[in-house]
Amino acid sequence: MADKLFIFDTTLRDGEQVPGCQLNTVEKIEVARALEGLGVDVIEAGFPISSPGDFNSVVEISKAVTWPTICALTRGVQKDIDVAADALRFAKSKRIHTGIGTSDLHIKYKFNSTQDEILERAVAAVKYAKRYVEDVEFYCEDAGRTDNVYLARVVEAVIKAGATVVNIPDTTGYCLPSEFGDKIKFLMENVNGIHNAVISTHCHNDLGMATANTIAGVMNGARQVEVTVNGIGERAGNTSLEEVAMILKCHKGLGIDTNINTQKIYSASRLVSSLMNMPVQPNKAVVGRNAFAHSSGIHQDGVLKNIQTYEIMNPKDVGIDDNSIVLTARSGRAALKHRLSVHGVDLDGEKLDKVYEAFLKLADQKKEINDDDILMLAGQDLSSTQRIKLDYLQVTSGVGVKSVASVCLNISGERFEAAASGNGPVDAAIKAVKHIIKRKMTLQEFLIQAITKGSDDVGKVHMQVEHEGCVYSGFAANTDIVAASVEAYIDAINKFNLN
Ligand code: KIV
Ligand code: ZN
């Protein structure tokens, strides 16, 4: 019989730490429900002491989700653990995830401490967390760069103190797969009592090796993996859930099974991407737009003769349905609701009305509305509570002439107009907006993405705008790319603290 691998999802904690990916509690609950549907074993719902928002999300996710264990992160300090235990009070099955840095670099520079003192603090944190919950996971931060002999001492001590799971993070994404696999093997062979706990991996992708390291860990005895949907997370991200799930499905010989319903992978990926405004790169393994697209003549020929010549996975196994219904301006609210529910997005009442209204507007501009379009609409903030709104935008541009834009903004009910010229229509329009807003702000990142293929496609624009030392993210989607750019810029400005 295959060994069970526990899937610990940290999309809502490590993934949510990414600038611009922050979700409100309602959105987090939507993601948590999708994770439950996907079959993850543990949902790391947040870091309760870090903010009231995180605390509240852990409380609400605990109420909303039934069978996965809900986990809350803490540092190895009592106050964090008290707050996490409080946030978990409604969870049916709960875990506290506490820990401390164990590498020489962390011990010396973060804690100005010694190995012995850190070991004592680790044991004390586990014992303290055990007062509240039976299930305590301990992380050895920067384990990837921690000396194996010392790491083994820490792991042994925390298991003795009652840790049920010990997490071995490659926090900086530094390890080579062979090195990380050897580290887990060393622990499995040298720690007394290792079988009283589950060993977990938590690999970051700084050198593009997160998934390889995770699999190396599993092949050497780890039985929990910490992952995120689409691999989002700090810096270059975490190990991606979909990659691990499909590797184990494709390589049955490894003898490891997960509880993941792989047919729900694609919808979970789309949901996380649209709610977090985080585009998935087209060539992303398993869930990228091109992951199953065969474009070269030789490949197409082979695939037509026998699909297995160039395809190792069936797209249906990850929930990609080629026959997805195309919606048009004649489709009703029920068809839209149904199509969204297929992707795990359940909308009713006012929210459905708003998305339907936006859908009809889009259907006026675009003949066929596909799944990506409606997921994008469902992920947009359609509330009309924004203080600054774009009233109108007119742009003149062309080859050999300077672009000129006229903009009118509605700011708390009052209209303000301005015009400007620039290097291209977006530059001109943004300059006109700046004439009205009159704040020092700098556009730091500007990403335009077309969702599908046609010239009537919806363009999605992500921007990051710096204002007084803080960076604000803006997002908008429109069939007019200049309008989408100005709307994304305004979306970011609406988030400034202008008091
Ligand atoms: O990367 C890391 O080390 C972490 C820990 C807090 C588990 O995210
Ligand atoms: Zn991490």
Side-chain angles (χ1 to χ4, degrees):
M1 209 176 89
D3 256 15
K4 156 119 193 206
L5 179 69
F6 293 95
I7 302 291
F8 175 116
D9 183 277
T10 184
T11 306
L12 293 171
R13 200 279 296 168
D14 217 323
E16 220 247 346
Q17 281 172 213
V18 177
C21 279
Q22 280 62 44
L23 301 179
N24 61 37
T25 303
V26 174
E27 292 165 332
K28 285 188 190 172
I29 290 173
E30 205 174 323
V31 172
R33 290 205 168 116
L35 294 171
E36 182 171 36
L38 201 51
V40 308
D41 300 283
V42 185
I43 295 176
E44 187 163 50
F47 182 11
I49 199 147
S50 67
S51 70
D54 247 42
F55 180 89
N56 196 36
S57 301
V58 175
V59 172
E60 295 306 324
I61 291 169
S62 298
K63 292 183 194 161
V65 159
T66 310
W67 79 262
T69 296
I70 304 300
C71 179
L73 183 76
T74 79
R75 289 166 300 180
V77 294
Q78 294 192 353
K79 181 78 191 133
D80 284 31
I81 296 171
D82 295 335
V83 173
D86 188 20
L88 286 168
R89 64 192 182 277
F90 296 107
K92 287 111 208 148
S93 164
K94 53 185 95 172
R95 177 182 297 177
I96 290 178
H97 188 190
T98 190
I100 198 161
T102 51
S103 66
D104 288 345
L105 280 163
H106 279 228
I107 294 174
K108 182 165 174 207
Y109 295 106
K110 258 180 82 172
F111 303 114
N112 187 21
S113 186
T114 61
Q115 286 191 339
D116 288 343
E117 209 176 275
I118 291 296
L119 191 123
E120 265 174 43
R121 284 170 66 171
V123 168
V126 171
K127 286 192 174 155
Y128 193 73
K130 281 295 250 196
R131 291 185 185 187
Y132 288 112
V133 291
E134 176 43 38
D135 192 3
V136 173
E137 173 168 342
F138 183 84
Y139 63 86
C140 308
E141 195 179 7
D142 204 17
R145 293 185 300 171
T146 299
D147 165 65
N148 285 349
V149 174
Y150 176 62
L151 187 62
R153 268 181 70 205
V154 177
V155 174
E156 190 165 311
V158 295
I159 293 175
K160 211 162 150 212
T164 43
V165 181
V166 185
N167 180 11
I168 309 298
D170 184 20
T171 305
T172 57
Y174 172 76
C175 286
L176 294 168
S178 56
E179 195 182 353
F180 193 72
D182 287 348
K183 191 174 279 289
I184 301 295
K185 186 167 190 272
F186 183 86
L187 297 176
M188 299 309 293
E189 289 173 354
N190 292 283
V191 169
N192 285 323
I194 190 89
H195 296 292
N196 297 328
V198 171
I199 298 301
S200 183
T201 66
H202 176 114
C203 298
H204 279 270
N205 204 30
D206 300 65
L207 292 171
M209 294 189 288
T211 301
N213 283 344
T214 297
I215 296 297
V218 171
M219 289 171 75
N220 284 284
R223 285 296 173 265
Q224 176 182 282
V225 290
E226 307 197 359
V227 293
T228 59
V229 173
N230 299 336
I232 63 168
E234 280 277 336
R235 307 181 308 279
N238 289 62
T239 305
S240 85
L241 181 154
E242 60 277 7
E243 290 172 16
V244 172
M246 291 315 289
I247 287 169
L248 297 177
K249 196 175 174 88
C250 290
H251 290 270
K252 288 267 181 268
L254 291 173
I256 311 276
D257 250 353
T258 69
N259 198 35
I260 296 297
N261 176 352
T262 61
Q263 291 185 348
K264 298 211 165 163
I265 282 178
Y266 190 64
S267 58
S269 160
R270 303 306 311 171
L271 180 71
V272 167
S273 168
S274 60
L275 287 180
M276 290 192 162
N277 291 334
M278 185 79 166
V280 174
Q281 72 192 59
N283 59 327
K284 166 79 183 64
V286 182
V287 291
R289 195 174 62 230
N290 296 344
F292 296 95
H294 303 279
S295 51
S296 88
I298 296 174
H299 286 209
Q300 286 177 350
D301 180 56
V303 164
L304 288 173
K305 288 175 176 147
N306 181 332
I307 190 106
Q308 288 176 353
T309 49
Y310 288 100
E311 210 164 89
I312 57 165
M313 297 174 260
N314 184 339
K316 288 200 167 65
D317 282 348
V318 300
I320 296 179
D321 173 8
D322 288 343
N323 306 316
S324 52
I325 296 171
V326 173
L327 298 170
T328 69
R330 286 173 302 286
S331 306
R333 202 174 305 247
L336 176 69
K337 182 175 163 56
H338 169 75
R339 200 62 217 154
L340 282 168
S341 73
V342 168
H343 290 282
V345 182
D346 289 310
L347 293 187
D348 279 304
E350 214 182 306
K351 177 94 196 198
L352 177 63
D353 289 346
K354 287 219 162 102
V355 175
Y356 186 63
E357 213 178 286
F359 159 78
L360 289 178
K361 274 195 203 141
L362 181 61
D364 261 357
Q365 299 160 13
K366 211 175 167 243
K367 272 201 298 296
E368 292 179 346
I369 306 288
N370 58 33
D371 288 358
D372 282 324
D373 293 326
I374 60 169
L375 284 167
M376 179 270 299
L377 292 177
Q380 265 190 76
D381 182 1
L382 297 168
S383 59
S384 52
T385 52
Q386 298 218 317
R387 202 167 75 86
I388 307 171
K389 289 183 208 137
L390 179 63
D391 200 345
Y392 76 70
L393 164 71
Q394 190 179 37
V395 199
T396 319
S397 70
V399 178
V401 290
K402 212 159 170 62
S403 299
V404 181
S406 309
V407 167
C408 176
L409 300 185
N410 180 321
I411 306 181
S412 305
E414 226 183 308
R415 298 175 83 234
F416 297 85
E417 290 173 314
S421 61
N423 288 327
V426 174
D427 186 44
I430 283 179
K431 279 187 177 144
V433 170
K434 281 177 151 177
H435 286 332
I436 300 173
I437 302 294
K438 295 194 178 68
R439 296 269 169 170
K440 198 166 171 342
M441 47 196 162
T442 318
L443 179 58
Q444 289 201 331
E445 212 172 288
F446 179 19
L447 174 70
I448 301 181
Q449 219 200 3
I451 300 178
T452 48
K453 295 170 188 111
S455 56
D456 64 348
D457 195 2
V458 176
K460 296 204 286 185
V461 175
H462 297 262
M463 281 188 177
Q464 293 202 335
V465 181
E466 190 273 336
H467 172 61
E468 291 182 348
C470 292
V471 178
Y472 301 86
S473 303
F475 170 75
N478 199 310
T479 47
D480 180 329
I481 206 69
V482 183
S485 306
V486 175
E487 283 164 355
Y489 198 70
I490 293 170
D491 186 39
I493 296 174
N494 270 309
K495 294 172 185 161
F496 291 6
N497 189 356
L498 291 179
N499 299 322

